[in-house]
Structure formats: C-alpha cells, structure tokens
C-alpha cells in the first residue's frame, strides 16, 4: 500500500510566526517540493489571500511535473448556495486538479463557534464537496477538529465524513486541529473510521501541540490511513504542524512502507535547508534527521566506539537522509575523537601517536582558557597543521595598535588600526580605518598582505560574534570572538580567539581566518 505525502508548507506552514512568503518564494518552494517527489502540494488559499491567487496563476502557466497541486478553502457560507459562494468560485478559478476543503466535524464547534444547526453544518460540507466534484476536481475533505469532535460526539463526527464521502470526496482527511490528541487515541479513532469507510482513502493532518505530531501520523498509518499531511521543518501556527520529512523518513526507513523514494530520502537534508533559506528561518540544529546535530557526537567514549563501528550511536545511517555524521572537538573528547576529526579533515593521525596526544593536550589547555573549537573548526585545523608539521607560516605580526577616537559632534567613533608585519625578510607598517576594531584590523591586514597574497581578494569576513566567557571566580572576564569567513567559491569557515581584551581576541580570530583562507586557497 502506497502512503501519499501531502505537503502544506505553503498554506498551513505559512501561518507560522515569522514566516511570510512572497509569490516568488512560493513558486520556488513549490518547484523544489515537486522535484523532491511530494505527491501533493497545497499551494494556498485563493480568493482569501490575494498573493495565493497570483501563485496559482503562475503555476497554471507552468504546471508542476510530478506533484498534484491543491488549492485550499473552506466550505460554503451558512444558509447560502454553494454555486454562488465567492470562496468556492475562487477555488474553481485556481484550476488545480485537487481542491482541499475544510469543514467542521465537531458538533460543539458547529453549534458554538459556527453557530449554525448541526444539519446545516453537514449540508455546508455536502454542498461544497458536490459542487467541486461536479466540476471535475479531486476533492480532499479536511475534517476540522475531527478528533476532539469524535471524543465528544462520535456520531456527528462520522456523519460529517459521510456527508463528504457521499458527495464525492476522494480523501477523508482527519485533522487534529488543536494538536492535543495522543497517539493511542489516534490509533483507536482512525481504526473506528477505517471500519466504517472500508474502501475510502483516509488522511491524517497532525499538529504538534502535545509534541506528538509525527507519532500521531504514524499511529494513523498503522490504523489504516494512507495519506499524511505536514510541513517542511514543522512550520505552522503555535508549536507547528508535524514535520512531513520526519513522518516520511519513519514510514520509509523504519516501517518499510512505500512512501517517496530512497533518492528523495537522500535529498531531504538539502530540501530542509533550502526551505529554511527561502523562508529566512534559522535552521533548528536539533531537528530530527535533517538537523546539523542530528548525527553529532561529543563524548569521547562515543567517539571511540564510532571510530570502530560508525553506527554504534546513530539510529540510522546519516547518508540515508543526506545528512553527515559529525564529531565535536571538546574538552571531553579523547584522542579517538581527535584522530577521527583529523581523518575527516584529511590528516592521518593514529590516536596513540604523540601528535594526537599533543593536539589533545593543546585543545584541552586552550578550552580551559575559554576557547571553543566546536564552532571554529578552521582554528582546530590550524592547530592540527602545527602539530603535524604541515603548517606554513605566511606572515608574522610584530606589533599592532588600535586607536578609537570620538569627538563631540561625531555620529560614530573612528577606529584606526596600525600593524607592523613581516613577510619573508620584509618588514613594514600598514594602516587602515574601519567601523570598529575588527573591521579596521581586517582592513590593515589586507592592505599589508594583498601584494604578497593576491588570493586574499577572494576571501571575505562575513560575520563575527563576541561573547563573554565566565572563567573561575576572581579572574578577569574573558572575551571569545568567533569570526566567520567565506571564499568566492563558496567555502565558509570559522575561527576563534580568546583574551581578556576584546581587540586581542578579535585579532587572534582574524589572523586564523586569514591564514586558514590563504593556506586553503594555495592548496
Ligand atoms: Zn492545520
């Protein structure tokens, strides 16, 4: 039995706080989801949202290749005719092969929130589905508040499904609208629905309010649902919709069901990052399957086991979902981590070798001083180069001076950095002004080094973070600076510096950044 995957990132997902897609964003995401292999893509609410109307027009001009495009809307207004309902007309005008129509399946919601009679509630569903189906649409009925409704009045909830099924809906999608239902309840209720609608397709639309979104989708599938709805990265109102990628990964990789393809599975980490990028959302490092930390190991004991048997502490092979296993360098790390990490970077280092022990004791000593190499892998690699004799010194800093001056009337202070450098046998002074000390130091280093290392023009400082690290009591506070850099060909790297002086700490991180970039550029 094939399980269909229905993505609603562009409709329900766009309800999430901080998410606002332009028409262009939506088209880009729809095409990417299509290439990924989604079975259904819900694009939006035409009529209700003007930019969604435009989105559907764009996709009519250039239709999707694989996925069925769905337009979303609600049932007709109370005490009115379906054929003249503006919302339903807009749905038909979107000219999508699929229309998903939401209508209340909870008696309490019908009488208390909608304030119409139970019979009118059922007629609104039946009339709307019949109209759309009569116009040749494949109709999915989203049974709103189905589970809460079923718990209060099972008979009415099932009659709502009857109304949709008898009017021609091809999928009865059960919505856990408030997201509070638990997996065992989902299993029981979907089983009851299955018994009543033996042949029809049952869908599941979970929300994550009780942190059970994925579990609820899986419980529904075990009880006979064959369509699952969710969003990329779990975007959505409140705590979000269920993550469609987590659901699909569990169905295919763990439950062995026919759902997407292995190729799609290997594309999911990239898809997740792409959608975050377009939505301008900071990726969640702890996201299951696709997060940066999903297969990251820190403890030395784990790292040792992983070097011997890579799967020892991972629930699946990370490459199956397009992710990678990462080992963090940290104070707790043993020499096995160092050796593994070195191997990942292309350095053969036996964990029992003096070099590995030298790197370990250097990392441990530096971490004690407040360095953190977890977010600064380029600084770690430089340390590794020094320990293994592969390091080449490109320049020497003989002295630096940074002046910050603000006079009455100046909007911002002016910063000037002067460096005394040596490259080969040549000693010289170099100077630059900048917006703050890091910018001025960066400018002065570049001004001095560019004629020796023209490849420096392909490297840019893109970001820096400064934070205070609290050491033991009675010592001066230290400042840790992390600098992020990018090369024109797309590589990015981070470096770290620590000092009680913010300028010194920034300078260290900056020098590492430039040294690392130049060494890589000349490789
Ligand atoms: Zn929803």
């Amino acid at each position: 039995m094939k399980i269909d995957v229905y993505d609603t990132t562009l409709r329900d997902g766009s309800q999430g706080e901080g998410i606002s897609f332009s028409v262009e964003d939506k088209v880009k995401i729809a095409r990417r989801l299509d290439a990924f292999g989604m079975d259904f893509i819900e694009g939006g609410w035409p009529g209700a949202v003007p930019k969604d109307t435009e989105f559907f027009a764009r996709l009519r001009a250039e239709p999707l290749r694989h996925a069925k495009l769905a337009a979303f809307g609600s049932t007709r207004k109370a005490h009115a005719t379906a054929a003249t309902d503006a919302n339903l007309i807009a749905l038909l005008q979107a000219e999508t092969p699929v229309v998903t129509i939401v209508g209340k399946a909870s008696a309490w919601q019908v009488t208390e929130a909608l304030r119409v009679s139970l019979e009118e509630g059922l007629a609104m569903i039946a009339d709307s589905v019949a109209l759309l189906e009569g116009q040749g649409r494949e109709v999915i009925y989203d049974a709103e508040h189905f589970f809460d409704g079923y718990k209060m009045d099972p008979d009415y909830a099932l009659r709502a499904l009857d109304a949709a099924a008898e009017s021609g809906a091809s999928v009865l999608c059960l919505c856990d609208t408030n997201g509070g239902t638990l997996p065992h309840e989902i299993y029981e209720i979907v089983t009851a629905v299955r018994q009543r609608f033996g042949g029809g397709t049952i869908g599941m639309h979970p929300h994550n309010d009780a942190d059970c979104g994925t579990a609820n989708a899986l419980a529904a599938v075990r009880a006979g649902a064959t369509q699952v709805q969710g969003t990329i990265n779990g975007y959505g109102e409140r705590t979000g919709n269920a993550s469609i990628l987590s659901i699909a990964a569990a169905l295919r990789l763990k439950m062995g069901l026919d759902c997407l393809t292995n190729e799609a599975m290997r594309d999911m980490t990239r898809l997740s990052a792409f959608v975050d990028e377009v939505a301008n959302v900071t990726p969640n490092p702890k996201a299951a399957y696709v997060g940066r930390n999903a297969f990251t190991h820190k403890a030395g004991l784990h790292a040792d086991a992983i070097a011997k048997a890579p799967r020892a502490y991972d629930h699946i092979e990370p490459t199956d979902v397009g992710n990678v296993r990462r080992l963090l360098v940290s104070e707790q790390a043993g020499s096995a981590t160092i050796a593994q990490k070195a191997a990942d970077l292309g350095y053969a280092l036996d964990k029992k070798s003096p070099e590995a022990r030298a790197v370990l004791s250097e990392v441990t000593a530096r971490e004690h001083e407040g360095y953190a190499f977890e977010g600064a892998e380029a600084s770690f690699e430089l340390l590794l180069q020094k320990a293994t004799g592969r390091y080449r010194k490109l320049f020497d800093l003989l002295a630096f001076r940074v002046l910050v001056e603000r006079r009455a009337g100046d909007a911002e202070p002016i910063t000037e950095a002067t460096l005394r450098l040596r490259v080969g046998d040549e000693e010289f002074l170099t100077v630059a002004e900048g917006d703050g000390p890091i910018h001025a130091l960066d400018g002065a280093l570049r001004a001095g080094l560019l004629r020796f290392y023209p490849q420096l023009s392909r490297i840019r400082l893109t970001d820096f973070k400064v934070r205070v690290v609290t050491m033991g009591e009675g010592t001066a506070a230290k400042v840790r600076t992390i600098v992020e850099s990018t090369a024109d060909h797309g590589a990015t790297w981070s470096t770290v510096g620590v000092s009680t002086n913010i300028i010194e700490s920034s300078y260290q991180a900056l020098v590492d950044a430039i040294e690392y970039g130049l060494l890589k550029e000349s490789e």
Side-chain angles (χ1 to χ4, degrees), residues 415-450:
T415 309
E416 184 190 283
T418 309
L419 306 179
R420 178 177 288 279
L421 295 172
R422 182 165 57 213
V423 180
D425 296 332
E426 201 177 326
E427 243 183 71
F428 54 93
L429 282 172
T430 167
V431 63
E433 282 186 354
D435 305 326
I438 298 188
H439 189 219
L441 284 166
D442 185 44
L445 268 171
R446 281 165 189 280
L449 296 175
L450 203 56

mmCIF file of all heavy atoms in Angstrom, residues 415-450:
data_model
loop_
_atom_site.group_PDB
_atom_site.id
_atom_site.type_symbol
_atom_site.label_atom_id
_atom_site.label_comp_id
_atom_site.label_asym_id
_atom_site.label_seq_id
_atom_site.Cartn_x
_atom_site.Cartn_y
_atom_site.Cartn_z
ATOM 1 N N THR A 415 37.785 54.412 14.045
ATOM 2 C CA THR A 415 38.781 53.446 14.511
ATOM 3 C C THR A 415 39.890 53.341 13.476
ATOM 4 O O THR A 415 39.620 53.264 12.271
ATOM 5 C CB THR A 415 38.140 52.056 14.708
ATOM 6 O OG1 THR A 415 36.978 52.212 15.505
ATOM 7 C CG2 THR A 415 39.103 51.110 15.400
ATOM 8 N N GLU A 416 41.125 53.352 13.955
ATOM 9 C CA GLU A 416 42.263 53.232 13.051
ATOM 10 C C GLU A 416 43.174 52.137 13.591
ATOM 11 O O GLU A 416 43.495 52.116 14.779
ATOM 12 C CB GLU A 416 43.010 54.561 13.005
ATOM 13 C CG GLU A 416 44.158 54.579 12.036
ATOM 14 C CD GLU A 416 45.001 55.846 12.232
ATOM 15 O OE1 GLU A 416 44.556 56.912 11.778
ATOM 16 O OE2 GLU A 416 46.069 55.739 12.856
ATOM 17 N N ALA A 417 43.570 51.219 12.731
ATOM 18 C CA ALA A 417 44.468 50.139 13.156
ATOM 19 C C ALA A 417 45.786 50.258 12.413
ATOM 20 O O ALA A 417 45.806 50.498 11.200
ATOM 21 C CB ALA A 417 43.843 48.778 12.864
ATOM 22 N N THR A 418 46.896 50.117 13.127
ATOM 23 C CA THR A 418 48.229 50.124 12.523
ATOM 24 C C THR A 418 48.910 48.811 12.879
ATOM 25 O O THR A 418 48.907 48.413 14.052
ATOM 26 C CB THR A 418 49.073 51.286 13.079
ATOM 27 O OG1 THR A 418 48.316 52.481 12.966
ATOM 28 C CG2 THR A 418 50.383 51.419 12.324
ATOM 29 N N LEU A 419 49.471 48.130 11.901
ATOM 30 C CA LEU A 419 50.137 46.853 12.154
ATOM 31 C C LEU A 419 51.579 46.933 11.680
ATOM 32 O O LEU A 419 51.870 47.575 10.668
ATOM 33 C CB LEU A 419 49.463 45.713 11.377
ATOM 34 C CG LEU A 419 47.974 45.499 11.542
ATOM 35 C CD1 LEU A 419 47.525 44.342 10.659
ATOM 36 C CD2 LEU A 419 47.638 45.178 12.991
ATOM 37 N N ARG A 420 52.465 46.276 12.407
ATOM 38 C CA ARG A 420 53.826 46.068 11.902
ATOM 39 C C ARG A 420 53.922 44.580 11.558
ATOM 40 O O ARG A 420 53.748 43.721 12.428
ATOM 41 C CB ARG A 420 54.862 46.452 12.959
ATOM 42 C CG ARG A 420 56.301 46.214 12.491
ATOM 43 C CD ARG A 420 57.313 46.677 13.529
ATOM 44 N NE ARG A 420 57.378 48.134 13.622
ATOM 45 C CZ ARG A 420 58.059 48.916 12.783
ATOM 46 N NH1 ARG A 420 58.724 48.394 11.779
ATOM 47 N NH2 ARG A 420 58.079 50.209 12.944
ATOM 48 N N LEU A 421 54.148 44.287 10.285
ATOM 49 C CA LEU A 421 54.132 42.899 9.810
ATOM 50 C C LEU A 421 55.475 42.524 9.200
ATOM 51 O O LEU A 421 56.228 43.408 8.763
ATOM 52 C CB LEU A 421 53.056 42.726 8.727
ATOM 53 C CG LEU A 421 51.597 42.907 9.136
ATOM 54 C CD1 LEU A 421 50.714 42.882 7.891
ATOM 55 C CD2 LEU A 421 51.153 41.817 10.104
ATOM 56 N N ARG A 422 55.723 41.226 9.140
ATOM 57 C CA ARG A 422 56.881 40.750 8.395
ATOM 58 C C ARG A 422 56.432 39.624 7.474
ATOM 59 O O ARG A 422 55.774 38.672 7.913
ATOM 60 C CB ARG A 422 57.973 40.240 9.336
ATOM 61 C CG ARG A 422 59.233 39.765 8.555
ATOM 62 C CD ARG A 422 60.431 39.592 9.445
ATOM 63 N NE ARG A 422 60.137 38.649 10.508
ATOM 64 C CZ ARG A 422 60.660 38.741 11.728
ATOM 65 N NH1 ARG A 422 61.494 39.696 12.054
ATOM 66 N NH2 ARG A 422 60.348 37.845 12.649
ATOM 67 N N VAL A 423 56.785 39.743 6.206
ATOM 68 C CA VAL A 423 56.552 38.654 5.249
ATOM 69 C C VAL A 423 57.911 38.344 4.646
ATOM 70 O O VAL A 423 58.537 39.209 4.045
ATOM 71 C CB VAL A 423 55.553 39.063 4.141
ATOM 72 C CG1 VAL A 423 55.348 37.897 3.169
ATOM 73 C CG2 VAL A 423 54.216 39.491 4.738
ATOM 74 N N GLY A 424 58.389 37.113 4.828
ATOM 75 C CA GLY A 424 59.748 36.779 4.374
ATOM 76 C C GLY A 424 60.747 37.647 5.125
ATOM 77 O O GLY A 424 60.732 37.678 6.353
ATOM 78 N N ASP A 425 61.550 38.399 4.367
ATOM 79 C CA ASP A 425 62.551 39.260 5.006
ATOM 80 C C ASP A 425 62.075 40.697 5.129
ATOM 81 O O ASP A 425 62.781 41.545 5.646
ATOM 82 C CB ASP A 425 63.856 39.253 4.184
ATOM 83 C CG ASP A 425 64.466 37.861 4.157
ATOM 84 O OD1 ASP A 425 64.228 37.110 5.137
ATOM 85 O OD2 ASP A 425 65.131 37.525 3.153
ATOM 86 N N GLU A 426 60.895 40.944 4.593
ATOM 87 C CA GLU A 426 60.439 42.334 4.522
ATOM 88 C C GLU A 426 59.596 42.720 5.743
ATOM 89 O O GLU A 426 58.649 42.021 6.102
ATOM 90 C CB GLU A 426 59.606 42.515 3.248
ATOM 91 C CG GLU A 426 59.520 43.957 2.808
ATOM 92 C CD GLU A 426 58.751 44.098 1.489
ATOM 93 O OE1 GLU A 426 58.871 43.177 0.649
ATOM 94 O OE2 GLU A 426 58.042 45.095 1.324
ATOM 95 N N GLU A 427 59.934 43.825 6.355
ATOM 96 C CA GLU A 427 59.180 44.336 7.496
ATOM 97 C C GLU A 427 58.524 45.640 7.088
ATOM 98 O O GLU A 427 59.150 46.469 6.433
ATOM 99 C CB GLU A 427 60.171 44.640 8.628
ATOM 100 C CG GLU A 427 59.937 43.802 9.867
ATOM 101 C CD GLU A 427 60.905 44.191 10.973
ATOM 102 O OE1 GLU A 427 60.776 45.288 11.556
ATOM 103 O OE2 GLU A 427 61.804 43.382 11.213
ATOM 104 N N PHE A 428 57.282 45.837 7.469
ATOM 105 C CA PHE A 428 56.612 47.075 7.046
ATOM 106 C C PHE A 428 55.439 47.410 7.964
ATOM 107 O O PHE A 428 54.961 46.564 8.727
ATOM 108 C CB PHE A 428 56.125 46.954 5.597
ATOM 109 C CG PHE A 428 55.259 45.744 5.368
ATOM 110 C CD1 PHE A 428 53.877 45.822 5.472
ATOM 111 C CD2 PHE A 428 55.820 44.505 5.077
ATOM 112 C CE1 PHE A 428 53.078 44.706 5.276
ATOM 113 C CE2 PHE A 428 55.021 43.379 4.879
ATOM 114 C CZ PHE A 428 53.657 43.486 4.989
ATOM 115 N N LEU A 429 54.964 48.659 7.838
ATOM 116 C CA LEU A 429 53.794 49.134 8.582
ATOM 117 C C LEU A 429 52.602 49.191 7.632
ATOM 118 O O LEU A 429 52.769 49.491 6.451
ATOM 119 C CB LEU A 429 54.042 50.549 9.096
ATOM 120 C CG LEU A 429 54.914 50.711 10.334
ATOM 121 C CD1 LEU A 429 55.194 52.196 10.558
ATOM 122 C CD2 LEU A 429 54.246 50.109 11.559
ATOM 123 N N THR A 430 51.458 48.924 8.155
ATOM 124 C CA THR A 430 50.249 49.032 7.332
ATOM 125 C C THR A 430 49.145 49.617 8.211
ATOM 126 O O THR A 430 49.090 49.361 9.405
ATOM 127 C CB THR A 430 49.859 47.656 6.742
ATOM 128 O OG1 THR A 430 48.549 47.725 6.216
ATOM 129 C CG2 THR A 430 49.897 46.558 7.772
ATOM 130 N N VAL A 431 48.274 50.413 7.597
ATOM 131 C CA VAL A 431 47.275 51.121 8.392
ATOM 132 C C VAL A 431 45.936 51.159 7.662
ATOM 133 O O VAL A 431 45.905 51.164 6.424
ATOM 134 C CB VAL A 431 47.781 52.547 8.746
ATOM 135 C CG1 VAL A 431 47.982 53.380 7.502
ATOM 136 C CG2 VAL A 431 46.867 53.252 9.714
ATOM 137 N N ALA A 432 44.842 51.097 8.428
ATOM 138 C CA ALA A 432 43.512 51.216 7.820
ATOM 139 C C ALA A 432 42.536 51.765 8.842
ATOM 140 O O ALA A 432 42.693 51.557 10.043
ATOM 141 C CB ALA A 432 43.029 49.867 7.309
ATOM 142 N N GLU A 433 41.514 52.447 8.327
ATOM 143 C CA GLU A 433 40.405 52.880 9.186
ATOM 144 C C GLU A 433 39.265 51.899 8.998
ATOM 145 O O GLU A 433 39.194 51.207 7.984
ATOM 146 C CB GLU A 433 39.924 54.274 8.771
ATOM 147 C CG GLU A 433 40.827 55.379 9.267
ATOM 148 C CD GLU A 433 40.249 56.760 8.954
ATOM 149 O OE1 GLU A 433 39.220 56.848 8.264
ATOM 150 O OE2 GLU A 433 40.860 57.735 9.418
ATOM 151 N N GLY A 434 38.374 51.849 9.980
ATOM 152 C CA GLY A 434 37.244 50.933 9.816
ATOM 153 C C GLY A 434 36.118 51.263 10.766
ATOM 154 O O GLY A 434 36.258 52.126 11.636
ATOM 155 N N ASP A 435 34.981 50.574 10.586
ATOM 156 C CA ASP A 435 33.840 50.730 11.501
ATOM 157 C C ASP A 435 34.069 49.791 12.668
ATOM 158 O O ASP A 435 33.583 48.665 12.662
ATOM 159 C CB ASP A 435 32.520 50.334 10.810
ATOM 160 C CG ASP A 435 32.305 51.114 9.522
ATOM 161 O OD1 ASP A 435 32.710 52.286 9.477
ATOM 162 O OD2 ASP A 435 31.761 50.534 8.569
ATOM 163 N N GLY A 436 34.826 50.189 13.616
ATOM 164 C CA GLY A 436 35.099 49.333 14.775
ATOM 165 C C GLY A 436 36.409 48.596 14.595
ATOM 166 O O GLY A 436 36.951 48.512 13.494
ATOM 167 N N PRO A 437 36.948 48.074 15.705
ATOM 168 C CA PRO A 437 38.291 47.488 15.684
ATOM 169 C C PRO A 437 38.475 46.271 14.758
ATOM 170 O O PRO A 437 39.508 46.160 14.112
ATOM 171 C CB PRO A 437 38.542 47.089 17.143
ATOM 172 C CG PRO A 437 37.269 47.292 17.872
ATOM 173 C CD PRO A 437 36.389 48.164 17.059
ATOM 174 N N ILE A 438 37.491 45.391 14.680
ATOM 175 C CA ILE A 438 37.665 44.193 13.850
ATOM 176 C C ILE A 438 37.774 44.594 12.379
ATOM 177 O O ILE A 438 38.640 44.138 11.642
ATOM 178 C CB ILE A 438 36.509 43.184 14.051
ATOM 179 C CG1 ILE A 438 36.503 42.724 15.510
ATOM 180 C CG2 ILE A 438 36.636 42.003 13.102
ATOM 181 C CD1 ILE A 438 35.556 41.615 15.824
ATOM 182 N N HIS A 439 36.885 45.493 11.990
ATOM 183 C CA HIS A 439 36.865 45.977 10.613
ATOM 184 C C HIS A 439 38.186 46.679 10.273
ATOM 185 O O HIS A 439 38.779 46.462 9.209
ATOM 186 C CB HIS A 439 35.667 46.916 10.453
ATOM 187 C CG HIS A 439 35.406 47.311 9.047
ATOM 188 N ND1 HIS A 439 35.022 48.573 8.691
ATOM 189 C CD2 HIS A 439 35.476 46.606 7.900
ATOM 190 C CE1 HIS A 439 34.879 48.645 7.389
ATOM 191 N NE2 HIS A 439 35.134 47.462 6.878
ATOM 192 N N ALA A 440 38.697 47.507 11.216
ATOM 193 C CA ALA A 440 39.948 48.236 10.968
ATOM 194 C C ALA A 440 41.140 47.278 10.903
ATOM 195 O O ALA A 440 42.012 47.402 10.034
ATOM 196 C CB ALA A 440 40.157 49.288 12.059
ATOM 197 N N LEU A 441 41.191 46.290 11.813
ATOM 198 C CA LEU A 441 42.281 45.308 11.793
ATOM 199 C C LEU A 441 42.246 44.486 10.501
ATOM 200 O O LEU A 441 43.280 44.240 9.878
ATOM 201 C CB LEU A 441 42.159 44.350 12.987
ATOM 202 C CG LEU A 441 42.588 44.897 14.359
ATOM 203 C CD1 LEU A 441 42.104 43.976 15.473
ATOM 204 C CD2 LEU A 441 44.110 45.063 14.416
ATOM 205 N N ASP A 442 41.059 44.087 10.111
ATOM 206 C CA ASP A 442 40.883 43.317 8.876
ATOM 207 C C ASP A 442 41.391 44.136 7.692
ATOM 208 O O ASP A 442 42.144 43.638 6.837
ATOM 209 C CB ASP A 442 39.389 42.976 8.712
ATOM 210 C CG ASP A 442 39.126 42.070 7.516
ATOM 211 O OD1 ASP A 442 39.884 41.097 7.335
ATOM 212 O OD2 ASP A 442 38.167 42.329 6.765
ATOM 213 N N GLY A 443 41.011 45.413 7.668
ATOM 214 C CA GLY A 443 41.427 46.293 6.579
ATOM 215 C C GLY A 443 42.943 46.454 6.537
ATOM 216 O O GLY A 443 43.562 46.382 5.460
ATOM 217 N N ALA A 444 43.565 46.614 7.715
ATOM 218 C CA ALA A 444 45.013 46.818 7.755
ATOM 219 C C ALA A 444 45.760 45.547 7.331
ATOM 220 O O ALA A 444 46.747 45.603 6.597
ATOM 221 C CB ALA A 444 45.434 47.255 9.154
ATOM 222 N N LEU A 445 45.290 44.400 7.783
ATOM 223 C CA LEU A 445 45.915 43.128 7.385
ATOM 224 C C LEU A 445 45.853 42.945 5.872
ATOM 225 O O LEU A 445 46.841 42.591 5.228
ATOM 226 C CB LEU A 445 45.183 41.955 8.049
ATOM 227 C CG LEU A 445 45.713 41.461 9.400
ATOM 228 C CD1 LEU A 445 44.746 40.448 9.994
ATOM 229 C CD2 LEU A 445 47.096 40.836 9.254
ATOM 230 N N ARG A 446 44.674 43.216 5.319
ATOM 231 C CA ARG A 446 44.506 43.068 3.869
ATOM 232 C C ARG A 446 45.398 44.040 3.107
ATOM 233 O O ARG A 446 46.039 43.658 2.121
ATOM 234 C CB ARG A 446 43.047 43.361 3.477
ATOM 235 C CG ARG A 446 42.163 42.234 3.750
ATOM 236 C CD ARG A 446 40.707 42.626 3.722
ATOM 237 N NE ARG A 446 39.987 41.469 4.217
ATOM 238 C CZ ARG A 446 39.712 40.411 3.466
ATOM 239 N NH1 ARG A 446 40.033 40.394 2.184
ATOM 240 N NH2 ARG A 446 39.115 39.372 3.982
ATOM 241 N N ALA A 447 45.408 45.299 3.583
ATOM 242 C CA ALA A 447 46.207 46.321 2.897
ATOM 243 C C ALA A 447 47.671 45.894 2.854
ATOM 244 O O ALA A 447 48.359 46.083 1.849
ATOM 245 C CB ALA A 447 46.059 47.662 3.604
ATOM 246 N N GLY A 448 48.136 45.270 3.955
ATOM 247 C CA GLY A 448 49.540 44.886 4.007
ATOM 248 C C GLY A 448 49.852 43.611 3.235
ATOM 249 O O GLY A 448 50.931 43.464 2.651
ATOM 250 N N LEU A 449 48.911 42.667 3.230
ATOM 251 C CA LEU A 449 49.216 41.324 2.713
ATOM 252 C C LEU A 449 48.845 41.110 1.248
ATOM 253 O O LEU A 449 49.334 40.173 0.607
ATOM 254 C CB LEU A 449 48.515 40.259 3.568
ATOM 255 C CG LEU A 449 48.975 40.164 5.031
ATOM 256 C CD1 LEU A 449 48.108 39.160 5.789
ATOM 257 C CD2 LEU A 449 50.448 39.767 5.123
ATOM 258 N N LEU A 450 47.981 41.969 0.732
ATOM 259 C CA LEU A 450 47.422 41.725 -0.603
ATOM 260 C C LEU A 450 48.496 41.601 -1.694
ATOM 261 O O LEU A 450 48.380 40.782 -2.588
ATOM 262 C CB LEU A 450 46.426 42.841 -0.947
ATOM 263 C CG LEU A 450 45.367 42.505 -1.999
ATOM 264 C CD1 LEU A 450 44.560 41.261 -1.614
ATOM 265 C CD2 LEU A 450 44.421 43.684 -2.194
#
